[in-house]
Every structure is written in structure tokens, then in C-alpha cells.
């Protein structure tokens, strides 16, 4: 290679790497295509980069569009959105316009659509968010659909995916 990379990765049919203080996008023949003006980067997926500038993280699309504003202490991507940290607290974003869980938790663990925080377990559905207030939560099949089996205040019950609780069946 004609360049000595400090950090390099494959991204969007190209290579992206740091050379000194510059972040440069290279074609497969290691010819520079573009320089992006950020301090650091991490690959999120095929079309998206987490980028850092002035100590704050956000995300950009391969077309240059900012997909998440650069206002977070950390940023990573899960199947249901972006895991963010702001002012020492964790939250989840669906995209730059929609917050799923605002940054108020000491930690967040994501397993599929189930989230766990220090306050309990919750569920992130396609059209709704069940806050993390349950002691346990499991997605179970019911007929042709699904329902959540939850534990709250030491009692088990069902939780419809629209958020309605039913503790009378136990």
C-alpha cells in the first residue's frame, strides 16, 4: 500500500482508514476518493459510520447525510436502533428523529427486542415501547400471534404487545 494506515476497515465497497490526522475513503485500488472531516470513526453497517468530532459521536450515511447528530458520548447500533450515552446515562434511538428510551439509565442491555436496564425489563415493538418496569419479560407464542409473559411486583401475568396488562390468568 502507498499509505501507512493507523486504522483501516472495509466500508461501502471501499476502504476507510486513518492516515495521520485524516480519515480518508479509498477505492479498492487504494486511491483516495474523499477525506471526511471527523476525529474518529467506527463501522456501524454497510452504509453507515459512527463518527466522532470534538469528543461527541453521531452517525453518517455513505452519501454524507448525518443520520444521528454528533451529540453523544458513545454510540453503537443494535437490531432495534442506536444505543447512546449522553451525560453519563444510556438510552436508545430508533433514528435521529425518534427516541425509544431517553438517556436516563445506568446501563442498557439489548437482546432482540427485549431491553434490560437497572429499573427492569421492557420491550421495543415495531410501533410501541413498553418501558423497562418488569422483573422479567419473555416473548411467547399465543395462537397465531405473540404475547409477553411478564413478572411485576412478584406476580406473573401477560402483556399484550399494545401494552395492556392481564394478571388475572395467574
Amino acid at each position: 500500500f502507498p499509505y501507512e494506515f493507523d486504522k483501516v476497515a472495509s466500508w461501502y465497497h471501499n476502504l476507510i482508514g486513518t492516515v495521520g490526522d485524516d480519515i480518508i475513503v479509498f477505492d479498492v485500488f487504494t486511491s483516495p476518493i474523499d477525506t471526511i472531516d471527523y476525529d474518529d470513526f467506527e463501522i456501524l453497517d454497510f452504509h453507515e459510520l459512527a463518527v466522532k468530532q470534538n469528543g461527541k459521536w453521531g452517525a453518517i450515511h455513505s452519501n454524507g447525510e448525518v443520520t444521528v447528530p454528533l451529540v453523544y458520548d458513545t454510540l453503537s447500533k443494535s437490531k432495534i436502533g442506536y444505543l447512546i450515552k449522553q451525560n453519563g446515562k444510556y438510552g436508545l434511538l430508533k433514528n435521529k428523529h425518534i427516541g425509544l428510551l431517553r438517556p436516563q439509565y445506568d446501563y442498557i442491555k439489548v437482546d432482540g427486542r427485549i431491553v434490560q436496564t437497572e429499573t427492569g425489563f421492557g420491550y421495543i415493538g415495531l410501533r410501541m415501547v413498553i418501558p423497562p418496569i418488569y422483573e422479567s419479560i419473555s416473548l411467547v407464542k399465543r395462537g397465531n400471534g405473540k404475547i409477553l409473559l411478564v413478572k411485576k411486583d412478584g406476580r406473573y401475568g401477560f402483556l399484550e404487545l399494545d401494552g395492556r396488562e392481564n394478571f388475572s390468568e395467574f
Side-chain angles (χ1 to χ4, degrees):
F1 288 124
Y3 297 93
E4 188 170 320
F5 297 103
D6 299 313
K7 176 179 178 179
V8 67
S10 174
W11 180 59
Y12 188 62
H13 303 299
N14 298 304
L15 296 174
I16 186 168
T18 56
V19 178
D21 291 337
D22 295 324
I23 298 176
I24 303 173
V25 180
F26 295 86
D27 66 18
V28 292
F29 303 107
T30 64
S31 298
I33 299 172
D34 196 6
T35 301
I36 58 176
D37 192 25
Y38 297 101
D39 302 330
D40 199 2
F41 73 93
E42 295 293 332
I43 304 289
L44 293 177
D45 62 30
F46 185 70
H47 284 283
E48 201 169 29
L49 284 177
V51 290
K52 183 179 182 181
Q53 190 170 51
N54 300 322
K56 296 297 180 179
W57 286 90
I60 62 169
H61 189 272
S62 58
N63 66 10
E65 174 191 0
V66 174
T67 53
V68 177
L70 283 81
V71 296
Y72 299 103
D73 302 329
T74 63
L75 179 137
S76 60
K77 198 165 188 180
S78 72
K79 290 182 181 181
I80 57 175
Y82 303 92
L83 179 61
I84 55 164
K85 184 177 182 184
Q86 189 173 43
N87 300 322
K89 297 292 182 175
Y90 290 93
L92 278 172
L93 296 175
K94 183 172 180 82
N95 58 41
K96 69 179 176 181
H97 303 292
I98 300 172
L100 297 172
L101 296 173
R102 66 185 180 87
Q104 63 182 358
Y105 301 101
D106 292 332
Y107 73 92
I108 292 180
K109 179 181 174 187
V110 178
D111 181 13
R113 295 194 167 276
I114 295 174
V115 296
Q116 179 186 7
T117 72
E118 71 275 7
T119 61
F121 292 86
Y123 182 81
I124 308 293
L126 295 175
R127 293 181 185 86
M128 49 80 68
V129 175
I130 295 171
I133 59 172
Y134 296 93
E135 296 165 46
S136 67
I137 193 166
S138 300
L139 187 63
V140 295
K141 188 172 178 154
R142 179 180 70 176
N144 291 331
K146 294 183 178 176
I147 193 167
L148 296 168
L149 174 64
V150 297
K151 183 178 180 184
K152 183 177 178 184
D153 300 325
R155 296 180 54 220
Y156 286 93
F158 289 112
L159 184 65
E160 301 288 340
L161 295 182
D162 63 6
R164 291 178 291 136
E165 290 181 344
N166 179 356
F167 283 86
S168 64
E169 295 184 33
F170 281 93

